[in-house]
Amino acid sequence: MAKRARPVVPETTVRDFPPIHALPTGWTPLDENRDQSYVRRIKPRSDNQRLLLESLDGFHLTVALGPAGTGKTYLAIAKAVEALEDGRVGRIVLTRPAVEAGESLGFLPGDMQEKLAPYLRPLYDALTERLGGKRLRSLLADGSIEIAPVAYMRGRTLNNAFVVIDEAQNCTYGQIKMLLTRLGWHSTMVLTGDPDQSDLLPGMSGLAEIAQRLGALPDVSVVQLGEKDIVRHPLVASMLTVL
């Protein structure tokens, strides 16, 4: 029985078929400029926020003053996480005063951590957004991140740490002085707050005076943010102009 002849198929090359997805010229899988949703970057939204980020990179002590919603705490925590992830510091220490905002909560049930949780919740929220819940729990468990009220800072020396002192307008002059003197070797400290929103009795907050005095030192950066730097709902900026 005779073999059937195979049909002749013309030879083709890869170039005869257009690529399904045309890649841009110069593309490389290692290109760091491409958009990646899993890489979280922070970018300033105003000139004062850019100045704050530059100060956090260039000074060991920065004082960030401004109204609510200007990103003071968020930018400070974002830079702290960045420094920890890059290995430039060994731990993050976050602290804020346990002061109630104009009302008394009375007795809170639970152990010490449960009692302090409502006061420190904003710091946990910012960290969770930057790290994710699982990663944050791991860093809290091994001591790489510590969140504590101001009352527990006395007597400590914070070496190789990124220290964020939040809501400093609710600290007295003596408390802020105590906190500032905790700064140790190879550490960065950020003091954030709004002198116009203190929950202490009139005249007790020491933030404005501390900022004025530190502003005269060349090695300390004092950054003043305003209504134009607010990144919350536009009504926040409008309300602050009349309230």
Side-chain angles (χ1 to χ4, degrees), residues 132-237:
K134 183 177 180 180
R135 173 78 169 145
L136 174 57
R137 288 190 293 271
S138 174
L139 293 172
L140 287 169
D142 65 17
S144 297
I145 295 180
E146 176 186 353
I147 304 178
V150 168
Y152 294 169
M153 292 294 108
R154 184 174 297 277
R156 303 182 60 182
T157 301
L158 303 175
N159 294 318
N160 193 29
F162 199 112
V163 186
V164 178
I165 303 168
D166 191 37
E167 297 290 336
Q169 77 274 4
N170 288 332
C171 294
T172 64
Y173 184 95
Q175 286 176 320
I176 298 178
K177 181 178 179 180
M178 178 272 293
L179 291 168
L180 293 174
T181 54
R182 302 305 97 199
L183 184 63
W185 292 101
H186 309 294
S187 292
T188 296
M189 180 176 287
V190 190
L191 195 69
T192 71
D194 179 8
D196 295 329
Q197 270 198 338
S198 176
D199 296 310
L200 301 178
L201 294 175
M204 290 187 62
S205 175
L207 179 59
E209 184 178 355
I210 288 285
Q212 182 180 5
R213 296 195 177 197
L214 291 180
L217 300 179
D219 296 329
V220 177
S221 176
V222 178
V223 180
Q224 180 69 58
L225 298 101
E227 285 80 6
K228 64 180 181 180
D229 303 303
I230 293 176
V231 293
R232 290 179 183 168
H233 194 285
L235 275 177
V236 175

